[in-house]
Amino acid sequence: MVRRYYDDLYSYLYRQVGERSDTLDITQEVFISALNGLQAYDAKKASFRTWLFRIGTYKVIDSWRKQKMVWFELEEETLGYANDLDTTIYQRELLNEINQYVANFRPEIQEIFRLRVYGNCSFPEIASALYQKEEKIKAQYYRLITKIRKEFSYNV
């Protein structure tokens, strides 16, 4: 299980967390939770990957609740490129602000956002994993995206 899904899960979590050590910790927590809850997995309702991502989503939400501020370290190799560095900093700050903004919504809304944006899950996959109608998932997702665009005056 770990060999097959580790890279996908780690990438999914890293895009949300942005910090290597925190991502490693959360990835480990997800696999432990998955092993402990394996008897609850139902292949008829969602793929195993989607089920893991769902567990990961809750772990990320929990980590955001514990700490509202995330500090990013700048890598030395980017210091020579001022424009690239400015862009990198802006993108990381914007991503952090969007994640903090999304963290203020109900966990169900956060889960839809994270599975779609960071997990690249389709609406049918999300609907199946959350036991909801696809139309409802789409409506909630697009309402949130509209609010994000309005809040950040940015075309996300």
Side-chain angles (χ1 to χ4, degrees):
M1 172 178 70
V2 174
R3 277 190 207 130
R4 183 167 182 191
Y5 296 102
Y6 186 88
D7 290 340
D8 282 349
L9 180 63
Y10 178 86
S11 295
Y12 169 70
L13 297 171
Y14 183 80
R15 284 179 274 177
Q16 298 174 71
V17 177
E19 174 62 41
R20 184 178 184 276
S21 63
D22 291 342
T23 304
L24 289 171
D25 292 342
I26 294 172
T27 303
Q28 180 177 347
E29 290 175 23
V30 170
F31 281 113
I32 290 169
S33 293
L35 286 172
N36 289 335
L38 201 53
Q39 70 280 1
Y41 170 67
D42 185 355
K44 295 175 189 169
K45 296 179 181 174
S47 71
F48 192 78
R49 178 181 176 270
T50 303
W51 184 68
L52 274 178
F53 280 18
R54 186 171 187 206
I55 295 169
T57 297
Y58 283 113
K59 296 295 182 186
V60 169
I61 290 169
D62 289 344
S63 75
W64 277 100
R65 284 184 190 144
K66 290 177 187 171
Q67 65 176 30
K68 286 291 185 177
M69 182 60 72
V70 176
W71 298 98
F72 294 104
E73 297 295 325
L74 298 176
E75 285 103 31
E76 291 182 25
E77 58 260 34
T78 62
L79 293 177
Y81 307 101
N83 290 338
D84 290 343
L85 181 60
D86 290 345
T87 301
T88 301
I89 290 171
Y90 172 75
Q91 289 172 346
R92 284 185 176 179
E93 287 176 353
L94 179 60
L95 179 61
N96 187 29
E97 289 175 20
I98 290 172
N99 279 323
Q100 286 179 350
Y101 180 74
V102 170
N104 292 314
F105 289 87
R106 291 188 336 265
E108 301 83 33
I109 303 298
Q110 293 179 49
E111 187 171 15
I112 293 167
F113 175 79
R114 293 176 191 289
L115 287 170
R116 180 72 177 164
V117 172
Y118 297 115
N120 297 319
C121 294
S122 68
F123 288 118
E125 288 176 317
I126 297 168
S128 175
L130 301 181
Y131 314 112
Q132 294 182 17
K133 292 184 179 183
E134 184 178 342
E135 296 78 22
K136 182 178 179 182
I137 297 294
K138 284 181 181 179
Q140 291 175 328
Y141 174 77
Y142 287 118
R143 274 189 226 119
L144 178 61
I145 293 300
T146 300
K147 289 180 183 226
I148 290 170
R149 285 182 177 148
K150 186 176 179 181
E151 179 72 21
F152 295 95
S153 298
Y154 183 78
N155 289 329
V156 179

